[in-house]
């Protein structure tokens, strides 16, 4: 729109000068400029209804520092090509509450669907939303343009680089038994609410374990085995607060530390709950982590949080929500990069040099 206003001003100036100097040549130049401007306005008014644009990330998850692709899809519903266009996008990090805007330049768009890929490298961890806000469409001369408002967005998660730390599990942790909704796929237990398997009767089996109804139906003595509940001996509380905090380096360190601890616990065979207070849900959220799939599920959910702050006592809120739950160890990581085990501080990291300190951490559980 600014280019059209500039064209109107220049055309008016040409007519004014032609009257001032009584120049027929400048009058003709003014008419030519007015005609060009009028045709450009009509063309752009028509063009804005024939162009549709959207944005997406072909890959939704990427490691920090690795290039990813932003894809702009422009649909040209006319027979005339669009020789030039630009897109204004806003990139926002939910976790850090940071936003930045930039223009992406596109080339010629022929009739039909056109895709344009732009490389992008993100240096901060978190969940990003890329919003396509407007498209600048040029006329055939490339001198005039008009803006079309667009509402399209794409999402990508930049995961922290996990660092393996030492984890030493005691027999109490390895053999921890408690109530759980998850059961062992390979070992039987004593949870009568879930059936593990039915097998033929063997010497030494108790009479009480015989499945009488099924044995009578199949005319064979069969034994019922109950499931083994896979309880979590460790609860990992995350106390990150982002209110009035814009230290990206500290936030990145926090994410790497929590991801490294959770990964190392999972890798050592220690199932655990990762829990935090969600500002959006106004409630405690927890995720059970015992394999890679659940680890990435936990990280994805956590990176989507905004952490607006608050004075909620996370431990009190957790114990209130999961009243009566048993666990052996409580790990806590606060926003100052202090790690506690069962209320006792076992590590504290500075923003500078925290990687070396994390590499030397040894967790004995």
């Amino acid at each position: 729109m600014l280019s059209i206003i500039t064209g109107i001003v220049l055309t008016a100036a040409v007519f004014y000068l032609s009257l001032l100097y009584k120049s027929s040549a400048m009058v003709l130049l003014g008419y030519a400029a007015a005609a060009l401007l009028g045709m450009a306005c009509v063309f752009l008014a028509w063009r804005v209804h024939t162009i549709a644009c959207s944005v997406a990330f072909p890959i939704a998850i990427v490691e920090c520092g690795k290039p990813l692709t932003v894809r702009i899809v422009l649909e040209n519903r006319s027979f005339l090509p669009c020789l030039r266009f630009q897109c204004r996008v806003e990139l926002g990090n939910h976790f850090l509450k940071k936003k930045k805007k930039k223009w992406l330049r596109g080339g010629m768009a022929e009739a039909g669907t056109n895709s344009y890929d732009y490389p992008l490298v993100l240096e901060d961890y978190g969940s990003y939303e890329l919003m396509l806000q407007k498209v600048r469409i040029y006329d055939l001369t490339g001198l005039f343009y008009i803006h079309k408002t667009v509402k399209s967005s794409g999402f990508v998660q930049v995961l922290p680089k996990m660092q393996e730390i030492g984890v030493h599990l005691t027999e109490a942790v390895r053999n921890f038994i408690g109530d759980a909704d998850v059961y062992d796929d390979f070992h039987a237990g004593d949870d009568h609410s879930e059936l593990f398997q039915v097998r033929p009767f063997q010497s030494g089996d108790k009479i009480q374990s015989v499945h009488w109804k099924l044995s009578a139906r199949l005319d064979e003595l069969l034994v019922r085995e109950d499931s083994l509940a896979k309880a979590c001996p460790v609860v990992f509380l995350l106390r990150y607060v982002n209110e009035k905090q814009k230290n990206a380096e500290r936030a990145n360190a926090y994410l790497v530390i929590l991801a490294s601890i959770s990964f190392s616990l999972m890798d050592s065979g220690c199932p655990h709950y990762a829990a935090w207070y969600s500002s959006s849900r106004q409630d405690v959220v927890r995720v059970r982590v015992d394999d890679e799939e659940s680890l990435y599920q936990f990280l994805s959910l956590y990176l989507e949080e905004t952490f607006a702050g608050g004075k909620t006592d996370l431990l009190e809120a957790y114990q209130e929500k999961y009243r009566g739950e048993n666990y052996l160890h409580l790990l806590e990581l606060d926003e100052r990069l202090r790690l506690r085990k069962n209320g006792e501080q076992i590590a504290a990291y500075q923003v500078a040099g925290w990687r070396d300190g994390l590499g030397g951490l040894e967790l004995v559980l």
Side-chain angles (χ1 to χ4, degrees), residues 82 158 265 269 273 330:
C82 180
V158 180
L265 289 173
Y273 287 121
L330 179 71

Side-chain angles (χ1 to χ4, degrees), residues 227-286:
S227 292
L228 175 63
K230 295 175 64 177
C232 288
V234 176
V235 175
F236 189 17
L237 296 184
L238 305 172
R239 298 178 176 272
Y240 185 78
V241 178
N242 197 32
E243 189 174 19
K244 299 180 180 179
Q245 182 176 325
K246 299 181 180 180
N247 191 332
E249 189 174 356
R250 181 185 294 274
N252 288 333
Y254 188 90
L255 288 172
V256 174
I257 292 172
L258 74 87
S260 298
I261 292 175
S262 186
F263 167 77
S264 299
L265 289 173
M266 178 273 298
D267 193 50
S268 65
C270 178
H272 57 283
Y273 287 121
W276 64 93
Y277 186 82
S278 172
S279 302
S280 58
R281 302 184 188 184
Q282 295 293 303
D283 194 11
V284 175
V285 175
R286 79 171 185 182

Side-chain angles (χ1 to χ4, degrees), residues 13-53:
V14 171
F15 278 115
Y16 175 75
L17 292 175
S18 67
L19 293 175
L20 185 65
Y21 294 102
K22 298 180 180 180
S23 171
S24 57
M26 296 192 71
V27 171
L28 292 176
L29 180 61
Y31 280 122
L36 178 63
L37 182 60
M39 288 188 294
C41 290
V42 173
F43 177 81
L44 290 175
W46 168 74
R47 172 65 85 187
V48 77
H49 294 289
T50 63
I51 292 293
C53 199

